[in-house]
Amino acid sequence: MGAIEIDAVSKVYDGGVCAVDAVELEVADGEFMVLVGPSGCGKSTLLRMIAGLEEVTHGAIRIGGRDVTRLQPPDRDIAMVFQNYALYPHMTVAENLAFGLRQRRTPKEEVARRVDEVSGMLGLEELMARKPVALSGGQRQRVAMGRALVREPAAFLMDEPLSNLDAKLRASMRGQLARLHERVGTTTVYVTHDQVEAMTLGQRVAVMRGGVLQQCDVPQELFRRP
Ligand code: ADP
Ligand code: ADP
């Protein structure tokens, strides 16, 4: 568990594009924060800097009080889910869920306990013996979320995880995600360009435009002020 502190973080890409401009944002321990804004506003860049997939040009990032600004992704105690879930195709659902823990030499009983818990929360029990090719898009995305959460990371980062799904499935996944967060309480940053998704999922919503953080508030307060 851990709060995420984004302290005056900027990103200037080679070539001079300032994608993120001195963003200050604190995500509380256990909070579900949505980053929303139009395409190109810098939300993916900010998320990728929290993950360590993109270098920070200026500023600092702390997770659970620890300065992670210069740490590689595996050393940050985070888990990520992207739009294009990269499940391991030759492994079953159960093996996909267990893989990260096995690599970390987690004891067998502990792996079994956590995989059971996560598969129960995500309704994957009937699918454990299948390979990813035999799953629907929504099922695959649930496995990707399970694989991320089974490691009990300090922070859970998602970049447009539902945008490849059709509207009906997206709506159902929104409900599942909200329930999942209620149960695990992992500090979450969720990137989307979809306002409905932002307003229904976010405990707070951070609105970005042109690399700048414009507002950050609970959904019911967001569009009240000019
Ligand atoms: P969003 O996620 O809100 O769509 P991005 O963070 O992907 O926005 O992009 C923010 C800005 O940075 C855009 O102007 C984009 O073109 C630019 N950008 C993103 N990635 C790179 C990169 N690797 N090199 C140069 N410019 C980039
Ligand atoms: P492990 O469970 O062994 O930590 P991960 O599933 O987290 O492995 O993935 C390993 C690496 O691949 C990480 O750096 C992660 O950021 C990246 N990764 C995972 N899923 C995707 C994806 N869908 N698209 C792009 N990169 C991904």
Side-chain angles (χ1 to χ4, degrees), residues 17-38:
V17 178
C18 182
V20 172
D21 190 2
V23 166
E24 290 279 351
L25 182 65
E26 195 168 333
V27 187
D29 189 14
E31 187 173 27
F32 197 117
M33 174 73 78
V34 174
L35 268 183
V36 70

Side-chain angles (χ1 to χ4, degrees), residues 133-167:
V133 70
L135 301 176
S136 71
Q139 291 170 338
R140 283 181 206 172
Q141 198 52 300
R142 268 160 37 219
V143 177
M145 286 172 187
R147 194 180 59 174
L149 287 172
V150 79
R151 283 159 36 195
E152 301 179 353
F156 185 28
L157 311 176
M158 288 181 270
D159 194 349
E160 305 266 7
L162 308 186
S163 58
N164 277 351
L165 308 177
D166 65 47

Side-chain angles (χ1 to χ4, degrees), residues 30-204:
E31 187 173 27
F32 197 117
M33 174 73 78
V34 174
L35 268 183
V36 70
S39 175
C41 73
K43 48 195 192 302
S44 288
T45 300
L46 185 56
L47 194 77
R48 291 170 61 81
M49 288 193 286
I50 300 170
L53 298 172
E54 203 70 72
E55 263 183 57
V56 167
T57 312
H58 300 291
I61 294 173
R62 285 178 291 277
I63 299 177
R66 189 167 65 117
D67 188 339
V68 299
T69 315
R70 303 289 157 214
L71 298 184
Q72 292 303 306
D75 301 323
R76 291 189 181 208
D77 195 16
I78 49 126
M80 269 196 101
V81 170
F82 303 80
Q83 175 175 340
N84 304 309
Y85 27 73
L87 298 178
Y88 306 112
H90 56 290
M91 295 184 197
T92 64
V93 168
E95 288 161 352
N96 263 284
L97 291 176
F99 183 76
L101 292 175
R102 293 233 169 92
Q103 275 201 319
R104 285 169 182 75
R105 301 182 192 285
T106 309
K108 245 188 171 163
E109 306 73 43
E110 177 73 8
V111 174
R113 186 189 65 76
R114 291 209 217 167
V115 167
D116 260 14
E117 193 183 359
V118 158
S119 60
M121 283 193 289
L122 285 160
L124 298 171
E125 300 98 326
E126 312 294 310
L127 307 172
M128 297 299 269
R130 292 203 201 167
K131 299 262 175 81
V133 70
L135 301 176
S136 71
Q139 291 170 338
R140 283 181 206 172
Q141 198 52 300
R142 268 160 37 219
V143 177
M145 286 172 187
R147 194 180 59 174
L149 287 172
V150 79
R151 283 159 36 195
E152 301 179 353
F156 185 28
L157 311 176
M158 288 181 270
D159 194 349
E160 305 266 7
L162 308 186
S163 58
N164 277 351
L165 308 177
D166 65 47
K168 200 171 150 207
L169 198 51
R170 262 204 313 276
S172 123
M173 286 291 292
R174 280 203 297 274
Q176 294 196 29
L177 258 175
R179 280 194 299 278
L180 184 66
H181 182 258
E182 244 166 55
R183 290 201 50 184
V184 297
T186 309
T187 310
T188 300
V189 183
Y190 183 102
V191 161
T192 181
H193 65 273
D194 181 335
Q195 291 211 357
V196 174
E197 229 168 87
M199 303 297 273
T200 51
L201 275 174
Q203 290 176 328
R204 281 194 301 157

